[in-house]
Amino acid sequence: MKRKKFIQTSLLATGTLLTGMNSCLPKKSKEAPRSVVSKLKRRNWGRNITFKANDLKHPATIEEVRELMSTGSRKKGLGSTHSYNDIADSPKAQISLRKLNKIVAIDKSTSTVTIEGGARYEDIVVQLHVEGYALHNMASLPQITVAGACVTGTHGSGTDNGSLPTAVNGVEMCLPGGDMMYFSRDKNPDVFDGVVVNLGGIGLITRLDLEVMPTFDAFQNIYLDLPIKNVINHFDEIMASGYSVSLFTKWQNDIIDQVWIKQRSDGATTDFGTEFFGGSASDRNVHPIIDLSAESCTDQMGEIGPWYERLPHFKINAMPSAFDELQSEYFVPVSSAADAIQAIAGLGDLMAPHLYISEVRTIAADDLWMSPLYKRPSVAFHFTWKPHWPEVKKILPVIEERLSPFGVRPHWAKLYTMDPKQIRQSYDKFPDFLALLKTYDPTGTLRNDYLDRVVYS
């Protein structure tokens, strides 16, 4: 497959994705003329969503944020555009806090870091490490915004590791109307767990307080071609074999194509040798899609490095994707993992023509009202699809039906076809969450097609 050249990270940061970039830009210029930019369609990371919002603002100060939020027109916060549905779109305007992307303070007395609302993980992790601190978990991609990851319940990996928003213990927001509000776990215990994973429906996050831990080093090793029956029979043991473990598979030939085992190097470590539950140790760095170059992937082969260079699958300041793609993800209780794997494996031939790769991870339970991990340790089934939406749209209901007996929940920011009523019923605190949205956004300033369809309907 010929790899398509992806666009510059700087354009991703603004939420502006260009199609046919070489034909749009003058050969000797790195920037598009204003007349060209104004006519370009803005798209998400995977380029499957064209934003309806005809305006994108980039405030550089809190005062500018408050001014933008004080107007009555519909608006929505926009992070790194790493959503695959319309959750971050708006009928009118989007607001990116990309210019507010720094660490504000590190409080050593409380082991807390305060960051600005537009910060991506790659903006903060190096400084944290230098100061002697680490985050407990990271997503596959360090290029996503911390606030965006938190409001959509994005998770990372590890049987004993909570999702990314579980690190949050304070949230500063600019509410519709321009008022500032600070929520903390200590001061607002009655609503705080509803504020963090808020689907962008309460306010625009301007700052986050995150719990940090002492910095650590880690390493990772990859094993190839594990018989799927061994994974099913020893699932808990395999997923607990490292600080963070990921399974990659195309659901073909009754094998799990790759197992990525990430271990901390500062405690008890395990040398699994050349064989792991029937799989063989890789003799080189690999990409989750094995045919692609591993240049953008974090170092493997047991090479020790700082946490932020091992917990993600992809390096900071690198472009992890090289093509248009679609993404879906579903969560079921980890107690149903074996049955769920068997159910999905039976769809391997149906998915094969349209699937790049699938990833399976486990994550600890949390108490965040709208988190897919709410009150249950879960296994996540992630699918990176080829840009074949008509075909994928037909496959998703089949996957959802197979997982329905296990109380499946979809990732809020990825593609799914589940009935919103079914989704709402899987969250005990949904009525409280809806009341929270109506309390802090009574005029519906932050409502969009997604919230109308999934939450307010």
Side-chain angles (χ1 to χ4, degrees):
M1 178 183 72
K2 185 176 180 181
R3 297 175 65 189
K4 298 179 183 179
K5 185 176 181 181
F6 215 77
I7 62 167
Q8 299 177 34
T9 304
S10 59
L11 290 172
L12 284 174
T14 66
T16 304
L17 294 177
L18 317 182
T19 359
M21 184 175 179
N22 290 336
S23 63
C24 288
L25 301 185
K27 290 184 178 180
K28 294 184 180 181
S29 174
K30 294 183 179 179
E31 297 181 356
R34 287 185 179 182
S35 59
V36 174
V37 172
S38 64
K39 299 177 182 180
L40 293 172
K41 295 180 179 179
R42 295 189 301 108
R43 297 186 180 181
N44 64 328
W45 184 296
R47 302 203 289 190
N48 67 303
I49 297 289
T50 299
F51 293 123
K52 294 179 182 177
N54 56 16
D55 197 9
L56 175 64
K57 301 294 187 182
H58 290 90
T61 65
I62 297 298
E63 288 72 23
E64 291 178 9
V65 174
R66 296 186 67 180
E67 182 178 354
L68 289 171
M69 290 292 283
S70 66
T71 63
S73 61
R74 292 280 186 96
K75 54 185 67 69
K76 203 73 179 172
L78 181 67
S80 59
T81 78
H82 200 263
S83 297
Y84 289 81
N85 57 38
D86 54 348
I87 191 171
D89 202 2
S90 170
K92 292 294 183 180
Q94 292 168 309
I95 302 174
S96 168
L97 299 189
R98 188 67 189 120
K99 293 181 180 179
L100 298 169
N101 63 356
K102 298 178 179 60
I103 288 179
V104 177
I106 297 176
D107 188 336
K108 296 186 176 182
S109 65
T110 59
S111 295
T112 302
V113 60
T114 300
I115 65 171
E116 293 179 312
R120 301 176 185 227
Y121 284 93
E122 64 183 4
D123 294 329
I124 66 171
V125 292
V126 177
Q127 184 177 344
L128 274 179
H129 174 68
V130 170
E131 295 289 340
Y133 293 100
L135 298 172
H136 80 287
N137 207 347
M138 288 185 68
S140 312
L141 307 178
Q143 291 83 6
I144 62 176
T145 60
V146 181
C150 291
V151 301
T152 58
T154 300
H155 51 90
S157 180
T159 297
D160 297 323
N161 297 331
S163 62
L164 303 182
T166 60
V168 178
N169 62 19
V171 182
E172 179 189 86
M173 284 187 183
C174 184
L175 302 176
D179 291 336
M180 300 299 294
M181 182 80 179
Y182 179 76
F183 300 89
S184 75
R185 187 169 297 282
D186 293 335
K187 295 181 180 179
N188 310 94
D190 54 333
V191 298
F192 186 78
D193 285 333
V195 167
V196 181
V197 183
N198 65 67
L199 313 186
I202 295 178
L204 197 62
I205 294 178
T206 51
R207 289 187 179 183
L208 284 171
D209 295 335
L210 305 175
E211 295 177 356
V212 293
M213 58 197 301
T215 193
F216 60 91
D217 288 337
F219 62 93
Q220 58 184 338
N221 288 294
I222 316 299
Y223 289 85
L224 308 177
D225 299 336
L226 275 68
I228 198 166
K229 64 179 181 180
N230 291 352
V231 174
I232 291 172
N233 293 334
H234 302 278
F235 183 80
D236 291 343
E237 185 178 353
I238 289 172
M239 301 310 287
S241 62
Y243 185 81
S244 171
V245 176
S246 292
L247 313 179
F248 290 99
T249 180
K250 294 183 178 179
W251 303 106
Q252 293 287 295
N253 304 316
D254 295 322
I255 61 170
I256 297 296
D257 300 86
Q258 304 175 31
V259 178
W260 291 40
I261 304 173
K262 304 169 188 278
Q263 298 188 69
R264 293 180 57 142
S265 61
D266 57 353
T269 61
T270 302
D271 181 358
F272 296 105
T274 60
E275 191 271 341
F276 182 76
F277 290 95
S280 302
S282 177
D283 60 1
R284 68 191 190 283
N285 286 352
V286 295
H287 191 284
I289 304 174
I290 198 102
D291 294 331
L292 298 186
S293 167
E295 181 180 358
S296 63
C297 296
T298 48
D299 288 339
Q300 302 154 25
M301 303 298 295
E303 188 75 21
I304 294 176
W307 56 277
Y308 65 86
E309 291 183 351
R310 295 298 179 271
L311 296 187
H313 299 329
F314 297 97
K315 298 174 182 176
I316 65 173
N317 302 317
M319 182 52 63
S321 297
F323 38 67
D324 297 352
E325 64 186 35
L326 308 174
Q327 290 189 12
S328 300
E329 188 167 29
Y330 300 98
F331 302 81
V332 303
V334 74
S335 58
S336 301
D339 291 336
I341 289 174
Q342 289 179 310
I344 293 176
L347 301 174
D349 291 342
L350 175 66
M351 296 186 291
H354 314 292
L355 183 67
Y356 280 127
I357 199 68
S358 182
E359 183 179 10
V360 181
R361 289 179 281 182
T362 51
I363 316 98
D366 61 45
D367 296 317
L368 305 173
W369 295 357
M370 301 305 288
S371 166
L373 296 316
Y374 179 71
K375 297 297 185 182
R376 64 187 203 190
S378 297
V379 53
F381 294 93
H382 186 280
F383 302 87
T384 301
W385 304 100
K386 298 174 184 178
H388 301 170
W389 177 234
E391 294 80 9
V392 172
K393 188 177 181 180
K394 295 177 181 179
I395 295 172
L396 295 183
V398 182
I399 295 174
E400 292 162 2
E401 183 180 6
R402 291 287 182 98
L403 296 179
S404 180
F406 314 119
V408 61
R409 295 169 177 166
H411 191 299
W412 295 112
K414 300 187 188 295
L415 293 168
Y416 57 87
T417 63
M418 291 177 62
D419 184 344
K421 183 178 180 181
Q422 179 186 354
I423 299 172
R424 294 192 293 268
Q425 289 176 342
S426 71
Y427 289 90
D428 296 341
K429 298 290 287 185
F430 177 79
D432 299 295
F433 177 70
L434 181 59
L436 197 65
L437 266 58
K438 292 180 177 180
T439 297
Y440 290 102
D441 185 19
T443 60
T445 298
L446 297 172
R447 288 176 64 165
N448 61 0
D449 289 346
Y450 182 92
L451 289 181
D452 286 343
R453 182 174 69 247
V454 178
V455 177
Y456 284 97
S457 63

Coordinates of all heavy atoms in Angstrom, one line a residue, residues 36-86:
V36 N -6.6 31.5 0.2 CA -6.8 30.0 0.1 C -7.3 29.4 1.4 O -8.2 28.6 1.3 CB -5.4 29.4 -0.3 CG1 -5.5 27.9 -0.3 CG2 -4.9 29.9 -1.6
V37 N -6.7 29.8 2.5 CA -7.1 29.2 3.8 C -8.6 29.4 4.0 O -9.3 28.5 4.5 CB -6.3 29.8 4.9 CG1 -6.9 29.4 6.3 CG2 -4.9 29.4 4.8
S38 N -9.2 30.6 3.7 CA -10.6 30.9 3.9 C -11.5 29.9 3.2 O -12.6 29.8 3.6 CB -10.9 32.3 3.5 OG -10.7 32.5 2.1
K39 N -11.0 29.3 2.1 CA -11.9 28.4 1.3 C -11.6 27.0 1.7 O -12.3 26.1 1.1 CB -11.6 28.7 -0.2 CG -11.9 30.1 -0.6 CD -11.6 30.3 -2.1 CE -11.9 31.7 -2.5 NZ -11.5 31.9 -4.0
L40 N -10.7 26.7 2.5 CA -10.4 25.3 2.8 C -11.3 24.7 3.8 O -11.8 25.4 4.7 CB -8.9 25.2 3.4 CG -7.8 25.5 2.4 CD1 -6.5 25.6 3.2 CD2 -7.7 24.5 1.3
K41 N -11.6 23.5 3.6 CA -12.5 22.8 4.6 C -11.7 22.3 5.8 O -10.6 21.8 5.6 CB -13.2 21.6 3.9 CG -14.1 21.9 2.8 CD -14.7 20.7 2.2 CE -15.7 21.1 1.0 NZ -16.3 19.8 0.4
R42 N -12.2 22.5 7.0 CA -11.5 22.1 8.2 C -12.1 20.7 8.5 O -13.3 20.5 8.6 CB -11.8 23.1 9.3 CG -11.1 24.4 9.1 CD -11.1 25.3 10.3 NE -12.5 25.5 10.7 CZ -13.0 25.0 11.8 NH1 -12.3 24.2 12.6 NH2 -14.3 25.3 12.2
R43 N -11.1 19.8 8.8 CA -11.5 18.4 9.1 C -10.8 17.9 10.3 O -9.9 18.5 10.8 CB -11.2 17.5 7.9 CG -11.9 17.8 6.6 CD -11.6 16.8 5.5 NE -12.3 17.1 4.3 CZ -12.2 16.4 3.2 NH1 -11.5 15.3 3.2 NH2 -12.9 16.8 2.1
N44 N -11.3 16.8 10.8 CA -10.7 16.2 12.0 C -9.5 15.4 11.6 O -9.0 15.3 10.5 CB -11.7 15.2 12.7 CG -12.1 14.1 11.8 OD1 -12.1 14.2 10.5 ND2 -12.4 12.9 12.4
W45 N -8.8 14.8 12.6 CA -7.6 14.1 12.5 C -7.7 13.0 11.4 O -6.8 12.9 10.5 CB -7.2 13.4 13.8 CG -5.9 12.7 13.9 CD1 -5.5 11.6 13.2 CD2 -4.8 13.1 14.7 NE1 -4.2 11.3 13.6 CE2 -3.8 12.2 14.5 CE3 -4.6 14.1 15.7 CZ2 -2.6 12.2 15.2 CZ3 -3.4 14.2 16.3 CH2 -2.4 13.2 16.1
G46 N -8.7 12.2 11.4 CA -8.9 11.1 10.5 C -9.5 11.5 9.2 O -9.6 10.7 8.2
R47 N -9.9 12.8 9.0 CA -10.4 13.4 7.8 C -11.7 12.7 7.4 O -12.1 12.8 6.2 CB -9.3 13.3 6.7 CG -8.1 14.0 7.1 CD -7.3 14.5 5.9 NE -6.6 13.4 5.2 CZ -5.7 13.5 4.2 NH1 -5.4 14.8 3.9 NH2 -5.2 12.5 3.6
N48 N -12.4 12.2 8.3 CA -13.8 11.6 8.0 C -14.9 12.6 8.4 O -16.0 12.4 8.0 CB -14.0 10.3 8.7 CG -14.1 10.4 10.2 OD1 -13.2 10.9 10.8 ND2 -15.2 10.0 10.8
I49 N -14.5 13.7 9.1 CA -15.5 14.7 9.5 C -15.1 16.0 9.0 O -14.0 16.5 9.2 CB -15.6 14.8 11.1 CG1 -16.1 13.5 11.7 CG2 -16.5 16.0 11.5 CD1 -17.6 13.2 11.4
T50 N -16.0 16.7 8.3 CA -15.8 18.1 7.9 C -16.6 18.9 8.8 O -17.9 18.8 8.9 CB -16.3 18.3 6.4 OG1 -15.5 17.4 5.5 CG2 -16.1 19.7 6.0
F51 N -16.0 19.8 9.5 CA -16.7 20.6 10.5 C -17.7 21.5 9.9 O -17.4 22.2 8.9 CB -15.6 21.4 11.4 CG -14.7 20.5 12.2 CD1 -13.4 20.6 12.1 CD2 -15.3 19.6 13.1 CE1 -12.5 19.8 12.9 CE2 -14.5 18.8 13.9 CZ -13.1 18.9 13.8
K52 N -18.8 21.6 10.5 CA -19.9 22.6 10.1 C -19.6 24.0 10.5 O -20.0 24.9 9.9 CB -21.2 22.1 10.6 CG -21.7 20.8 10.0 CD -23.1 20.4 10.7 CE -23.6 19.1 10.1 NZ -24.9 18.7 10.8
A53 N -18.9 24.1 11.7 CA -18.6 25.4 12.2 C -17.8 26.3 11.2 O -16.8 25.8 10.6 CB -17.7 25.3 13.5
N54 N -18.4 27.4 10.9 CA -17.7 28.3 9.9 C -16.7 29.3 10.5 O -16.2 30.1 9.8 CB -18.8 29.1 9.2 CG -19.7 29.9 10.1 OD1 -19.4 30.1 11.2 ND2 -20.8 30.3 9.6
D55 N -16.4 29.1 11.8 CA -15.5 30.0 12.5 C -14.7 29.3 13.5 O -15.2 28.4 14.2 CB -16.3 31.1 13.2 CG -15.5 32.3 13.5 OD1 -14.3 32.4 13.1 OD2 -16.0 33.2 14.3
L56 N -13.4 29.5 13.6 CA -12.5 28.9 14.5 C -11.7 30.0 15.2 O -11.0 30.8 14.5 CB -11.6 27.9 13.9 CG -10.5 27.3 14.8 CD1 -11.1 26.5 15.9 CD2 -9.5 26.4 14.0
K57 N -11.8 30.2 16.5 CA -11.2 31.2 17.3 C -10.0 30.6 18.0 O -10.0 29.5 18.5 CB -12.1 31.9 18.3 CG -13.4 32.5 17.6 CD -13.0 33.7 16.7 CE -14.3 34.4 16.3 NZ -14.0 35.5 15.3
H58 N -8.9 31.4 18.2 CA -7.7 31.0 18.9 C -7.4 32.1 20.0 O -6.4 32.9 19.8 CB -6.5 30.9 18.0 CG -6.6 29.7 17.0 ND1 -7.2 29.8 15.8 CD2 -6.2 28.4 17.2 CE1 -7.2 28.6 15.2 NE2 -6.6 27.8 16.0
P59 N -8.1 32.1 21.1 CA -7.8 33.1 22.1 C -6.4 32.9 22.7 O -6.0 31.7 22.9 CB -8.9 32.9 23.1 CG -9.4 31.5 22.9 CD -9.2 31.3 21.4
A60 N -5.7 33.9 23.1 CA -4.4 33.8 23.7 C -4.4 34.1 25.2 O -3.4 34.0 25.8 CB -3.4 34.7 22.9
T61 N -5.5 34.6 25.7 CA -5.6 34.9 27.1 C -7.0 34.5 27.7 O -7.9 34.3 26.9 CB -5.5 36.5 27.4 OG1 -6.6 37.1 26.8 CG2 -4.2 37.0 26.7
I62 N -7.0 34.4 29.0 CA -8.3 34.0 29.6 C -9.3 35.1 29.4 O -10.5 34.8 29.2 CB -8.1 33.8 31.1 CG1 -7.2 32.6 31.4 CG2 -9.5 33.6 31.8 CD1 -7.7 31.3 30.9
E63 N -8.9 36.4 29.3 CA -9.8 37.4 29.0 C -10.5 37.3 27.7 O -11.7 37.5 27.5 CB -9.1 38.8 29.1 CG -8.7 39.2 30.5 CD -7.6 38.4 31.1 OE1 -6.8 37.8 30.3 OE2 -7.4 38.3 32.3
E64 N -9.7 36.9 26.7 CA -10.2 36.6 25.4 C -11.2 35.4 25.4 O -12.2 35.4 24.6 CB -9.1 36.4 24.4 CG -8.3 37.7 24.1 CD -7.1 37.4 23.1 OE1 -7.0 36.3 22.5 OE2 -6.3 38.3 23.0
V65 N -10.9 34.4 26.1 CA -11.8 33.3 26.3 C -13.1 33.7 26.8 O -14.2 33.4 26.3 CB -11.2 32.2 27.1 CG1 -12.2 31.0 27.4 CG2 -9.9 31.6 26.5
R66 N -13.1 34.5 27.9 CA -14.3 35.0 28.5 C -15.1 35.8 27.6 O -16.4 35.7 27.5 CB -14.0 35.8 29.8 CG -13.3 35.0 30.9 CD -13.1 35.7 32.1 NE -14.4 36.0 32.7 CZ -14.6 36.7 33.9 NH1 -13.5 37.2 34.5 NH2 -15.8 36.9 34.4
E67 N -14.4 36.6 26.8 CA -15.2 37.5 25.8 C -15.9 36.6 24.8 O -17.0 36.9 24.4 CB -14.2 38.4 25.1 CG -14.9 39.4 24.2 CD -13.9 40.4 23.5 OE1 -12.7 40.4 24.0 OE2 -14.3 41.1 22.6
L68 N -15.2 35.6 24.3 CA -15.8 34.7 23.3 C -17.0 33.9 23.9 O -18.0 33.7 23.2 CB -14.7 33.7 22.8 CG -13.7 34.3 21.9 CD1 -12.6 33.3 21.6 CD2 -14.3 34.8 20.5
M69 N -16.8 33.5 25.1 CA -17.9 32.7 25.8 C -19.1 33.5 26.2 O -20.1 33.0 26.6 CB -17.3 31.9 26.9 CG -16.4 30.8 26.6 SD -17.2 29.4 25.7 CE -18.0 28.6 27.1
S70 N -18.9 34.9 26.2 CA -20.0 35.7 26.7 C -21.0 36.0 25.6 O -22.1 36.5 25.9 CB -19.4 37.0 27.2 OG -18.8 37.8 26.2
T71 N -20.7 35.7 24.4 CA -21.7 36.0 23.3 C -22.7 34.8 23.3 O -22.5 33.7 23.8 CB -21.0 36.0 22.0 OG1 -20.4 34.8 21.7 CG2 -19.9 37.1 22.0
G72 N -23.9 35.1 22.7 CA -25.0 34.1 22.8 C -25.0 33.0 21.8 O -25.8 32.1 21.8
S73 N -24.1 33.1 20.8 CA -24.2 32.2 19.7 C -23.6 30.8 20.1 O -22.8 30.7 21.0 CB -23.4 32.7 18.5 OG -22.0 32.9 18.8
R74 N -24.0 29.8 19.4 CA -23.5 28.4 19.7 C -22.0 28.3 19.5 O -21.5 28.9 18.5 CB -24.3 27.4 18.8 CG -25.8 27.2 19.1 CD -26.0 26.3 20.3 NE -27.4 26.0 20.5 CZ -28.0 24.9 20.0 NH1 -27.3 24.0 19.4 NH2 -29.3 24.7 20.3
K75 N -21.4 27.5 20.3 CA -19.9 27.4 20.2 C -19.5 26.1 20.8 O -20.3 25.5 21.6 CB -19.2 28.6 20.8 CG -19.6 28.8 22.3 CD -18.9 30.0 22.8 CE -19.4 31.3 22.2 NZ -20.8 31.6 22.5
K76 N -18.3 25.6 20.6 CA -17.8 24.4 21.1 C -16.3 24.5 21.2 O -15.6 25.0 20.3 CB -18.1 23.2 20.1 CG -18.2 21.9 20.8 CD -19.4 21.8 21.7 CE -19.5 20.4 22.3 NZ -20.5 20.3 23.3
G77 N -15.7 23.8 22.3 CA -14.3 23.7 22.4 C -13.7 22.7 21.4 O -14.3 21.7 21.2
L78 N -12.5 23.0 20.8 CA -11.9 22.1 19.9 C -10.5 21.8 20.4 O -9.7 22.7 20.6 CB -11.8 22.7 18.5 CG -11.2 21.8 17.4 CD1 -12.1 20.6 17.1 CD2 -11.0 22.6 16.2
G79 N -10.2 20.5 20.6 CA -8.8 20.1 21.0 C -7.9 19.8 19.9 O -7.7 20.6 19.0
S80 N -7.4 18.5 19.9 CA -6.5 18.1 18.8 C -7.2 17.6 17.6 O -6.5 17.1 16.7 CB -5.5 17.1 19.4 OG -6.2 16.0 19.8
T81 N -8.5 17.6 17.5 CA -9.3 17.1 16.4 C -9.3 15.6 16.4 O -9.7 15.0 15.4 CB -9.0 17.7 15.1 OG1 -7.8 17.0 14.5 CG2 -8.8 19.2 15.1
H82 N -8.8 14.9 17.5 CA -8.7 13.5 17.4 C -10.1 12.8 17.9 O -10.1 11.9 18.7 CB -7.6 13.0 18.3 CG -7.1 11.6 18.0 ND1 -7.5 10.5 18.7 CD2 -6.3 11.1 17.0 CE1 -7.0 9.4 18.2 NE2 -6.2 9.8 17.2
S83 N -11.1 13.3 17.3 CA -12.5 12.7 17.5 C -12.9 12.3 16.1 O -12.7 12.9 15.1 CB -13.5 13.7 18.1 OG -13.1 14.1 19.4
Y84 N -13.7 11.1 16.1 CA -14.0 10.6 14.8 C -15.5 10.7 14.6 O -16.1 10.1 13.6 CB -13.6 9.1 14.8 CG -12.1 9.1 14.6 CD1 -11.3 9.2 15.7 CD2 -11.5 8.9 13.4 CE1 -9.9 9.2 15.6 CE2 -10.1 8.9 13.2 CZ -9.3 9.1 14.4 OH -7.9 9.1 14.2
N85 N -16.2 11.4 15.4 CA -17.6 11.8 15.2 C -17.8 13.3 15.4 O -16.7 14.0 15.5 CB -18.6 11.0 16.1 CG -18.3 11.1 17.6 OD1 -17.9 12.2 18.0 ND2 -18.4 10.1 18.4
D86 N -19.0 13.8 15.5 CA -19.2 15.2 15.6 C -19.3 15.8 17.0 O -19.8 16.9 17.2 CB -20.5 15.6 14.8 CG -21.7 14.8 15.2 OD1 -21.5 13.8 16.0 OD2 -22.8 15.1 14.8

